[in-house]
């Protein structure tokens, strides 16, 4: 099943807009198209998603990876979800391992995104992928990401030097709404 179909099934805003609102009231960002290309031929065994929200996307990832990926989800607001409704042998809500794939769909504030990136990027396995979603939302609250659309501009952010040396490349998708760091 295509990732977009799973995104629709679980009501996550990562889906292609189709006129039907997601759990959070949005129509969708269309990120699934890019995720499928980015993840093609990658052996993802461990994943962290920042910003569990209602839990739709970690359920989507669990089915997409056919239950063969250990998924950790964290969220500042546990009122939106109940751990017992999400956790199973593949899905956890604690952060305790190295990851092949990290998605930051958390606060959408640039400062928080930079803190998360600086603290988590070095906890990734070699060859891992770190994705920051919804950069356009950060523009409304903070202007750090407003003009970021090249690798050089990305490196000018307040990034830790030990993190920078481990970055292979940076790509942007969806009119700079999605940042992918390898």
């Amino acid at each position: 099943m295509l990732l977009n179909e799973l995104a629709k099934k679980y009501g996550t805003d990562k889906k292609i807009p189709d006129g039907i609102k997601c759990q959070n009231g949005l129509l969708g960002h269309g990120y699934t198209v890019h995720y499928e290309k980015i993840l093609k031929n990658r052996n993802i065994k461990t994943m962290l998603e920042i910003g569990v929200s209602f839990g739709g996307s970690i359920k989507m990832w669990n089915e997409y990876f056919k239950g063969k990926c250990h998924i950790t989800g964290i969220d500042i607001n546990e009122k939106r979800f109940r751990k017992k409704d999400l956790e199973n042998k593949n899905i956890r809500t604690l952060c305790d391992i190295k990851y092949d794939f990290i998605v930051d769909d958390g606060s959408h504030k640039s400062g928080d995104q930079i803190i998360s990136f600086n603290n988590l990027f070095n906890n990734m396995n070699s060859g891992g992928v770190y994705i920051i979603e919804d950069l356009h939302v950060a523009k409304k609250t903070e202007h750090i990401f407003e003009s970021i659309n090249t690798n050089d501009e990305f490196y000018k952010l307040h990034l830790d030097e030990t993190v920078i040396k481990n970055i292979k490349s940076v790509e942007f998708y969806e009119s700079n709404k999605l940042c992918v760091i390898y």
Side-chain angles (χ1 to χ4, degrees):
M1 187 180 288
L2 295 173
L3 190 55
N4 193 63
E5 293 302 313
L6 293 172
K8 289 193 303 191
K9 176 180 176 180
Y10 292 109
T12 175
D13 64 5
K14 291 171 178 39
K15 72 179 179 88
I16 296 169
D18 58 2
I20 299 171
K21 290 185 178 180
C22 305
Q23 290 176 326
N24 62 5
L26 298 175
L27 294 174
H29 295 297
Y31 297 155
T32 53
V33 173
H34 305 294
Y35 277 119
E36 288 213 285
K37 291 176 190 171
I38 293 162
L39 297 173
K40 187 176 183 176
N41 300 322
R42 289 191 176 271
N43 187 19
I44 305 295
K45 298 286 186 197
T46 54
M47 177 189 173
L48 168 65
E49 182 159 25
I50 302 165
V52 171
S53 192
F54 298 100
S57 63
I58 60 173
K59 291 177 183 177
M60 172 195 76
W61 291 122
N62 189 49
E63 190 167 337
Y64 179 73
F65 292 123
K66 299 176 174 72
K68 296 179 181 175
C69 177
H70 293 280
I71 301 169
T72 303
I74 59 175
D75 199 293
I76 196 167
N77 184 358
E78 286 192 45
K79 292 178 183 172
R80 291 188 188 162
F81 70 95
R82 293 185 313 211
K83 287 172 61 167
K84 67 182 180 86
D85 291 342
L86 295 176
E87 290 186 328
N88 64 34
K89 67 180 181 129
N90 295 319
I91 299 174
R92 289 180 276 193
T93 54
L94 298 172
C95 182
D96 59 354
I97 56 176
K98 284 200 169 262
Y99 299 99
D100 299 316
F101 181 39
I102 296 177
V103 176
D104 185 340
D105 189 15
S107 74
H108 306 317
K109 294 179 181 175
S110 299
D112 293 346
Q113 292 166 332
I114 291 168
I115 289 168
S116 294
F117 182 75
N118 280 333
N119 285 295
L120 294 170
F121 189 76
N122 285 334
N123 288 344
M124 295 189 67
N125 289 320
S126 179
V129 179
Y130 191 108
I131 297 181
I132 304 171
E133 291 187 356
D134 304 326
L135 298 181
H136 63 295
V137 177
K139 287 187 210 177
K140 294 176 185 174
T141 56
E142 298 175 333
H143 298 284
I144 296 173
F145 283 109
E146 187 168 8
S147 63
I148 303 299
N149 58 21
T150 67
N151 290 4
D152 290 338
E153 291 169 349
F154 180 81
Y155 293 124
K156 290 178 187 174
L157 298 175
H158 302 284
L159 302 182
D160 186 289
E161 288 297 320
T162 59
V163 171
I164 291 174
K165 71 179 184 178
N166 291 318
I167 295 173
K168 179 181 173 188
S169 66
V170 180
E171 297 175 353
F172 295 86
Y173 298 93
E174 288 298 313
S175 301
N176 300 332
K177 293 177 184 175
L178 189 69
C179 178
V180 181
I181 305 111
Y182 298 93

